[in-house]
């Protein structure tokens, strides 16, 4: 198979993948709507609201914080400062990368990443979680959302400054790399760089501005 034929096949597979992903996301939205009905809660202006009777049942299922600590293995208790100590670099990254995009993206006319689309805080509204469990959930949803938010900012930075694919496969590459130039394609780099720098439409990246 020629290089061009292989590239055409890859492009076709990527189009199919994007279409399938769109269908999966639509199905997930429908599933979430069904779950809201099944578990008796609604979303009002982004806030979770449970039926009053369901909330009471959930509260009855809650394990108190003191009992929760008493049942925890000593190893988990001793390791908790190490885990929660990571909140410091996460918050610093959050602050600095937000400042970075609001300064630099404005200068280079790169669409800014909407933070609220990546960092979703809602698990603390579950009545069957005690205070410690809610803090745990808050930590995890903030940390994972923050990394996804930072990743998209860095991906847009890479698309603007260095949209070149790697010479070898790397795990966990972001979706924007699909439109990067092939490693060693000097002609495309020279002739099409400005085009790639202006092409921000991707299935999972918003062009909305904060």
């Amino acid at each position: 198979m020629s290089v061009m034929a292989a590239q055409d096949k890859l492009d076709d597979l990527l189009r199919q993948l994007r279409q399938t992903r769109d269908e999966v996301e639509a199905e997930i939205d429908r599933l979430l709507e069904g779950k809201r009905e099944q578990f008796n809660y609604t979303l009002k202006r982004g806030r979770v609201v449970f039926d009053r009777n369901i909330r009471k049942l959930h509260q009855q299922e809650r394990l108190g914080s003191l009992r929760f600590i008493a049942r925890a293995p000593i190893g988990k208790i001793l390791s908790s400062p190490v885990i929660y100590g990571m909140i410091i670099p996460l918050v610093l990254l959050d602050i600095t990368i937000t400042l970075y995009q609001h300064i630099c993206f404005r200068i280079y006319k790169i669409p800014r990443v909407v933070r609220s689309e990546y960092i979703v805080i809602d698990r603390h509204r579950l009545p069957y979680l005690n205070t410690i469990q809610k803090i745990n959930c808050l930590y995890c949803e903030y940390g994972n959302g923050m990394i996804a938010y930072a990743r998209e900012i860095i991906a847009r930075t890479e698309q603007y400054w260095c949209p070149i694919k790697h010479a070898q496969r790397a795990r966990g590459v972001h979706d924007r790399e699909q439109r990067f130039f092939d490693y060693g394609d000097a002609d495309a780099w020279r002739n099409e760089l400005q085009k790639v720098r202006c092409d921000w439409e991707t299935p999972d990246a918003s062009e909305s501005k904060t």
Side-chain angles (χ1 to χ4, degrees), residues 7 48 52 82 90 111 135 174-175 178:
Q7 184 63 50
V48 177
R52 181 177 299 179
V82 179
L90 284 171
I135 293 173
H174 53 76
D175 290 337
Q178 296 174 9

Side-chain angles (χ1 to χ4, degrees), residues 13-194:
L13 288 172
L14 289 173
R15 282 192 294 270
Q16 294 178 35
L17 178 62
R18 286 192 290 269
Q19 181 180 355
T20 301
R21 182 170 54 191
D22 289 342
E23 294 174 356
V24 169
E25 290 178 352
E27 191 61 35
I28 289 174
D29 287 338
R30 286 191 289 269
L31 179 62
L32 285 174
E33 186 63 34
K35 293 296 184 181
R36 294 184 190 116
E37 182 177 350
Q38 177 183 356
F39 294 111
N40 297 283
Y41 71 90
T42 57
L43 290 178
K44 294 183 178 179
R45 297 181 180 179
R47 181 174 180 174
V48 177
V49 178
F50 278 96
D51 178 82
R52 181 177 299 179
N53 293 329
I54 295 299
R55 175 172 287 275
K56 289 181 179 179
L57 290 174
H58 282 178
Q59 290 172 343
Q60 293 173 5
E61 295 292 328
R62 183 169 57 203
L63 178 65
S65 296
L66 293 179
R67 292 174 60 193
F68 180 80
I69 294 175
R71 294 183 180 184
I74 187 65
K76 291 184 178 180
I77 296 175
L78 294 177
S79 65
S80 59
V82 179
I83 297 173
Y84 282 105
M86 290 302 299
I87 196 67
I88 297 174
L90 284 171
V91 170
L92 287 176
L93 176 61
D94 192 355
I95 294 171
T96 54
I97 204 162
T98 297
L99 288 174
Y100 160 76
Q101 77 153 341
H102 276 280
I103 294 171
C104 296
F105 280 18
R106 293 174 190 272
I107 294 173
Y108 297 105
K109 295 181 172 55
I110 300 174
R112 294 184 295 283
V113 180
V114 182
R115 184 176 179 277
S116 60
E117 292 182 355
Y118 292 84
I119 302 177
V120 178
I121 307 296
D122 58 9
R123 295 172 186 163
H124 64 288
R125 301 188 186 282
L126 292 168
Y128 53 82
L129 298 180
N130 61 43
T131 300
I132 295 176
Q133 291 169 327
K134 288 181 180 181
I135 293 173
N136 289 343
C137 284
L138 178 64
Y139 175 89
C140 290
E141 59 191 350
Y142 172 74
N144 281 281
M146 234 304 300
I147 294 301
Y149 166 66
R151 176 183 174 84
E152 178 61 18
I153 292 175
I154 297 170
R156 296 189 189 194
T157 301
E158 184 178 29
Q159 179 176 336
Y160 187 89
W161 287 109
C162 193
I164 300 174
K165 296 176 182 177
H166 293 287
Q168 56 187 339
R169 289 190 61 186
R171 290 184 179 272
V173 296
H174 53 76
D175 290 337
R176 293 186 174 278
E177 194 186 45
Q178 296 174 9
R179 66 189 58 199
F180 287 8
F181 304 121
D182 289 326
Y183 191 93
D185 192 345
D187 290 338
W189 170 261
R190 183 177 60 254
N191 298 320
E192 300 181 28
L193 178 58
Q194 292 304 320

